[in-house]
Amino acid sequence: MELTPRQKRILRAVVENYIETAEPVGSKVITETEGLDVSSATVRNEMAALETLGLLEQPHTSAGRIPSPQGYRLYVNELMEAHRLSMQETTRINEALKLKMQELDRVIDQAGRIVSQFTKYPAFALATGNKRVTIRRFDLLMVEDSAFIVVVLTDSNMVRNKLVRLPGTLNEPQLQLLNTLLNTTFVNLTLEEITPELMRVASHAAGEAYGLISLVVSFAMEVLEELESRSFHTAGITKLLEHPEYKSLDRAQPLINYLSNESDGTYLPSPSQEETKIIIGPENLANELKDTSVVVASYDIGDNMRGIIGVVGPTRMDYARVTARLSYFAEGLSRLFGKGVLPPVEDSKKEE
Amino acid sequence: MELTPRQKRILRAVVENYIETAEPVGSKVITETEGLDVSSATVRNEMAALETLGLLEQPHTSAGRIPSPQGYRLYVNELMEAHRLSMQETTRINEALKLKMQELDRVIDQAGRIVSQFTKYPAFALATGNKRVTIRRFDLLMVEDSAFIVVVLTDSNMVRNKLVRLPGTLNEPQLQLLNTLLNTTFVNLTLEEITPELMRVASHAAGEAYGLISLVVSFAMEVLEELESRSFHTAGITKLLEHPEYKSLDRAQPLINYLSNESDGTYLPSPSQEETKIIIGPENLANELKDTSVVVASYDIGDNMRGIIGVVGPTRMDYARVTARLSYFAEGLSRLFGKGVLPPVEDSKKEE
DNA sequence: TTTAGCACTCGGCCTATCTGAGTGCTAAAG
DNA sequence: CTTTAGCACTCAGATAGGCCGAGTGCTAAA
């Protein structure tokens, strides 16, 4: 059954008013704020109708109405006007996007922090590798006779390095030999394929040489593991406390615990979609999030990885505002990673 | 004026009881829990004496006593018994110390998280460079004709890398040339010394070549900057909420804001000392910390850097417990970094 | 110097009361 | 059929009063 235009207008007024004030909305304020030429009694009748439709609810008999989850859903789907970012806002976000060149994990962590800053809600961020990563190339650089640097380059153009100290010494030719061995034997292998290869090499290599090889290879495996694993970050959890629904610690505590401990991202929708997704209250899978809303956006990291970034807040969340910022930011991240490389050389001292 | 042994015993009982229960301690419970062969009236007299000495105070007339900051101070200095860690605890900490090889900044961040976990209080961690860092060596590794990897090694044996994409192409000899130039001109210079050198080179280099040079050099500068800057991390701020003194958000909010926003570590003691330092309530410089205690330990990072790690909590903090864990952990970090290199190749999936 | 006893204090808790915002309903008006 | 004015009703939250008991300080005796 379709709502009348007036009902839509009232529903929208209730939602937006409630989002702003966190107080149940009465019929009177609606007649005042909206330019409706009807009396409060009429609005009351309409609100009663909206309530029987399950779009509004009353905390108690003598209070105003608040939107039900279905009410929010309808609002989000049909009534919400896309929020336009101000120039100032977009430049601020663009500025924040000039992340320092860093390990992927840290970029993602920082992205979470930034989103939390811009939205005033707790944020989470993660990256998921869906394809297998392999090492494309090894490089060994001599430092002293007892130390060298390993540099590995993956097929997704991530670079990692490590300084290796040796108990004994090594000379340049030996290092070259090792280098060649690595680049012929351990290249283009996935994590699982490396182990048997290492076993095979072990069988016909001298003890000392093998120790060296396994040292470097296990570093490579560590890198592969890092890039394939889902790493999950949260930021700004304490921002929850600024919202009136969490003024009482009894409400806030379980959610905070959930976010800071259990959060492995299992409750999140898979990042298959391009658009920003809004999950309202009980639509969440996790029980702890049943009266919490989640807004998520996804972005591309190079060719074979994908990231998710989102915020968590009360169902009374400013969906329009959050969605706009989050989408814009996610797009920015895609662009950033789109170059196939980590972000450009840029300076920006942004810490928390 | 020196306290009598009995007074010391009572003071200690009050402190430890209050640390455990967070409730003002009455004379009766002391006679019961301590094996003192005196009546509660005697204890009351002694407590009154301790109060006039400024070591105890009364929240209101009809309540028990709680320790004053001076009381805590005396307890910490003279009465507190060093807490011994259980085998289980030490192995757990040792396990946690097997941090993955990572950028310095992340190791420090993680260290903070771990300490917060072990102490149940919010933790902070930072590193300060006190000597100037310089680049010891550049290495350029060709990837494709339009991309190469820069690897820089600092005099403190930190290694950093970056993949550079070019708009145009480059061949091996050109790269060699660039490599030689870098290693002759931009090596062993501090951050400030690099800029004029770059200017000098700019004056007699072709435009395109200069672009390339400045790309690599600015990356090097970024690395130096990172290593010299104080980077500050906090973790586990929400753990505050688990302590009864912060059940009321009015108390918790300002402190949380302080810790999560302003915290640049300015309120921290300089890490000159070896031992663990305890700052009690009003001894803190920052107003926001006036009824909060801070315990800090410091550790060495290689030869020319130093880190601080510590926890923040109510003055009713379990000093013995916290100090033991923090000191042990800081020692572990020193050992870890003592090798002059980032931590060993080890796997441990510890997130949060 | 210690102890038993006693009057006293005062924060926390529980209950009673009041207030007002907002409702639903009804009957009259458009 | 829709809208409106009016009115009785409901109920959360704030305010005030009263009780309870833990813990104290003081005094007088051991």
Side-chain angles (χ1 to χ4, degrees):
Chain A
M1 186 243 271
E2 187 64 12
L3 299 182
T4 69
R6 192 170 65 187
Q7 283 176 327
K8 284 188 182 175
R9 195 158 163 197
I10 289 173
L11 175 58
R12 186 176 146 184
V14 172
V15 172
E16 291 181 352
N17 227 293
Y18 185 62
I19 283 179
E20 195 178 341
T21 65
E23 301 280 323
V25 186
S27 52
K28 206 168 150 204
V29 299
I30 288 188
T31 55
E32 283 161 4
T33 58
E34 290 294 288
L36 279 172
D37 279 341
V38 289
S39 75
S40 62
T42 312
V43 175
R44 275 205 290 286
N45 287 333
E46 296 286 38
M47 294 210 304
L50 289 171
E51 186 169 352
T52 56
L53 289 172
L55 298 172
L56 294 182
E57 42 194 42
Q58 258 181 315
H60 56 267
T61 344
S62 68
R65 302 297 207 294
I66 63 174
S68 72
Q70 295 92 311
Y72 282 118
R73 174 49 64 197
L74 199 150
Y75 169 76
V76 163
N77 288 353
E78 303 182 25
L79 273 34
M80 182 171 83
E81 273 183 17
H83 199 290
R84 284 201 51 194
L85 297 181
S86 67
M87 265 304 282
Q88 198 194 3
E89 192 79 4
T90 57
T91 51
R92 274 181 60 211
I93 294 181
N94 286 338
E95 198 55 40
L97 273 168
K98 291 178 185 162
L99 295 169
K100 254 192 182 169
M101 188 237 89
Q102 288 161 331
E103 278 190 45
L104 178 62
D105 218 32
R106 273 188 73 197
V107 175
I108 291 176
D109 184 28
Q110 282 215 24
R113 287 175 208 276
I114 293 169
V115 163
S116 176
Q117 260 180 8
F118 278 104
T119 60
K120 309 279 186 196
Y121 294 103
F124 56 85
L126 63 84
T128 67
N130 34 23
K131 266 203 236 148
R132 303 314 307 265
V133 186
T134 63
I135 301 287
R136 190 160 124 197
R137 208 177 85 186
F138 290 85
D139 284 284
L140 305 181
L141 304 172
M142 199 83 188
V143 178
E144 306 162 2
D145 57 357
S146 67
F148 63 91
I149 299 171
V150 190
V151 180
V152 302
L153 173 68
T154 71
D155 60 347
S156 50
N157 284 334
M158 298 278 173
V159 192
R160 291 287 186 281
N161 64 254
K162 179 186 167 67
L163 181 63
V164 178
R165 284 265 155 127
L166 299 173
T169 63
L170 205 66
N171 58 31
E172 193 70 44
Q174 287 173 308
L175 200 66
Q176 283 302 337
L177 216 63
L178 179 56
N179 200 347
T180 313
L181 174 69
L182 290 168
N183 276 305
T184 50
T185 318
F186 292 101
V187 158
N188 298 325
L189 299 180
T190 64
L191 198 50
E192 282 75 22
E193 292 163 353
I194 285 185
T195 316
E197 197 59 33
L198 193 58
M199 306 291 266
R200 206 177 58 74
V201 170
S203 63
H204 51 78
E208 206 185 328
Y210 174 70
L212 208 53
I213 293 167
S214 78
L215 205 63
V216 177
V217 171
S218 64
F219 168 65
M221 291 173 73
E222 205 178 295
V223 170
L224 293 181
E225 211 172 282
E226 182 205 330
L227 292 177
E228 288 188 356
S229 69
R230 287 166 74 98
S231 65
F232 190 83
H233 298 272
T234 53
I237 294 185
T238 56
K239 291 214 171 66
L240 270 188
L241 300 175
E242 290 165 19
H243 298 278
E245 25 273 286
Y246 300 104
K247 277 298 169 209
S248 135
L249 269 194
D250 307 337
R251 294 232 157 273
Q253 197 75 264
L255 181 56
I256 287 179
N257 285 343
Y258 183 74
L259 291 177
S260 43
N261 301 330
E262 292 203 59
S263 43
D264 52 355
T266 39
Y267 56 84
L268 295 168
S270 66
S272 49
Q273 318 264 0
E274 264 308 324
E275 2 104 17
T276 304
K277 232 181 179 173
I278 300 178
I279 303 105
I280 297 170
E283 298 169 9
N284 278 292
L285 297 173
N287 270 326
E288 288 85 347
L289 300 178
K290 289 296 182 195
D291 29 46
T292 306
S293 285
V294 178
V295 182
V296 284
S298 71
Y299 56 93
D300 296 311
I301 305 173
D303 295 334
N304 54 3
M305 288 185 80
R306 202 161 177 73
I308 316 182
I309 190 158
V311 304
V312 178
T315 39
R316 178 194 67 84
M317 186 191 274
D318 194 337
Y319 297 100
R321 221 190 103 90
V322 168
T323 311
R325 277 160 187 70
L326 199 60
S327 308
Y328 187 82
F329 191 79
E331 272 170 40
L333 282 176
S334 274
R335 235 178 301 126
L336 205 63
F337 288 121
K339 296 168 191 162
V341 197
L342 281 178
V345 187
E346 260 303 343
D347 233 15
S348 79
K349 290 265 91 139
K350 274 271 133 84
E351 282 289 312
E352 165 68 334
Chain B
M1 187 243 272
E2 186 64 13
L3 299 182
T4 67
R6 191 170 67 187
Q7 282 175 328
K8 285 188 182 175
R9 194 157 164 197
I10 289 173
L11 174 58
R12 186 176 145 183
V14 171
V15 173
E16 292 182 351
N17 227 293
Y18 185 63
I19 283 179
E20 194 179 341
T21 64
E23 300 279 323
V25 185
S27 51
K28 207 168 149 205
V29 299
I30 289 189
T31 55
E32 283 163 4
T33 57
E34 288 295 288
L36 278 174
D37 278 341
V38 290
S39 76
S40 63
T42 312
V43 174
R44 275 206 291 284
N45 287 332
E46 295 285 38
M47 295 209 304
L50 289 171
E51 186 169 353
T52 56
L53 289 173
L55 298 172
L56 294 181
E57 42 194 41
Q58 258 180 317
H60 56 267
T61 345
S62 68
R65 302 297 209 292
I66 64 174
S68 72
Q70 295 93 311
Y72 282 119
R73 173 49 64 197
L74 200 149
Y75 169 76
V76 163
N77 287 354
E78 304 180 24
L79 273 33
M80 182 171 81
E81 273 182 18
H83 199 290
R84 285 201 50 193
L85 297 181
S86 68
M87 266 303 285
Q88 199 196 1
E89 192 79 5
T90 56
T91 51
R92 274 182 61 213
I93 294 181
N94 286 338
E95 199 53 41
L97 273 168
K98 291 178 184 161
L99 296 168
K100 254 192 183 169
M101 189 236 85
Q102 289 163 332
E103 277 189 48
L104 178 63
D105 218 31
R106 273 188 74 199
V107 175
I108 290 176
D109 185 27
Q110 282 215 24
R113 286 175 209 275
I114 293 169
V115 163
S116 176
Q117 258 179 9
F118 277 104
T119 60
K120 309 280 186 194
Y121 295 104
F124 56 85
L126 63 83
T128 67
N130 33 24
K131 266 202 238 148
R132 303 314 306 266
V133 187
T134 63
I135 301 287
R136 189 159 126 197
R137 207 177 86 186
F138 291 85
D139 284 285
L140 304 181
L141 304 172
M142 200 83 187
V143 177
E144 306 160 1
D145 58 358
S146 68
F148 62 92
I149 299 172
V150 190
V151 181
V152 301
L153 173 68
T154 71
D155 60 347
S156 51
N157 285 333
M158 298 278 173
V159 192
R160 290 287 186 282
N161 63 253
K162 180 186 166 69
L163 181 64
V164 178
R165 284 265 156 129
L166 299 172
T169 63
L170 204 68
N171 57 31
E172 192 70 43
Q174 288 173 309
L175 200 66
Q176 284 302 335
L177 215 63
L178 178 58
N179 199 346
T180 313
L181 174 70
L182 290 168
N183 277 304
T184 50
T185 318
F186 292 101
V187 158
N188 299 324
L189 299 180
T190 64
L191 197 51
E192 282 76 20
E193 292 163 353
I194 285 184
T195 315
E197 197 58 34
L198 191 59
M199 306 290 267
R200 205 178 58 75
V201 170
S203 63
H204 51 78
E208 204 186 329
Y210 174 70
L212 209 52
I213 294 167
S214 77
L215 204 63
V216 177
V217 171
S218 63
F219 168 65
M221 292 173 74
E222 204 178 297
V223 170
L224 294 181
E225 210 173 283
E226 182 206 330
L227 292 176
E228 287 187 356
S229 70
R230 287 165 74 98
S231 65
F232 190 85
H233 298 272
T234 53
I237 293 185
T238 56
K239 290 215 173 65
L240 269 188
L241 301 174
E242 290 164 20
H243 298 277
E245 23 273 286
Y246 300 105
K247 278 298 168 207
S248 135
L249 269 194
D250 305 338
R251 293 232 159 272
Q253 196 76 263
L255 181 55
I256 286 179
N257 285 342
Y258 182 74
L259 290 178
S260 43
N261 302 330
E262 291 204 58
S263 43
D264 51 356
T266 39
Y267 56 82
L268 295 169
S270 66
S272 47
Q273 318 263 1
E274 263 308 325
E275 2 104 17
T276 304
K277 234 181 177 172
I278 300 178
I279 303 104
I280 297 170
E283 298 168 10
N284 278 294
L285 296 173
N287 270 327
E288 288 86 347
L289 299 178
K290 288 297 184 195
D291 29 47
T292 304
S293 286
V294 178
V295 183
V296 284
S298 72
Y299 55 92
D300 296 311
I301 305 173
D303 295 333
N304 55 3
M305 287 185 80
R306 202 160 176 74
I308 317 183
I309 190 157
V311 304
V312 178
T315 39
R316 179 192 68 85
M317 186 192 274
D318 194 338
Y319 297 99
R321 220 190 103 89
V322 169
T323 310
R325 278 162 186 69
L326 198 60
S327 308
Y328 187 82
F329 191 79
E331 273 170 40
L333 282 177
S334 273
R335 233 178 302 127
L336 205 62
F337 287 121
K339 297 168 191 163
V341 196
L342 281 178
V345 186
E346 261 300 348
D347 233 15
S348 80
K349 292 265 90 140
K350 273 272 133 80
E351 282 288 313
E352 163 69 340

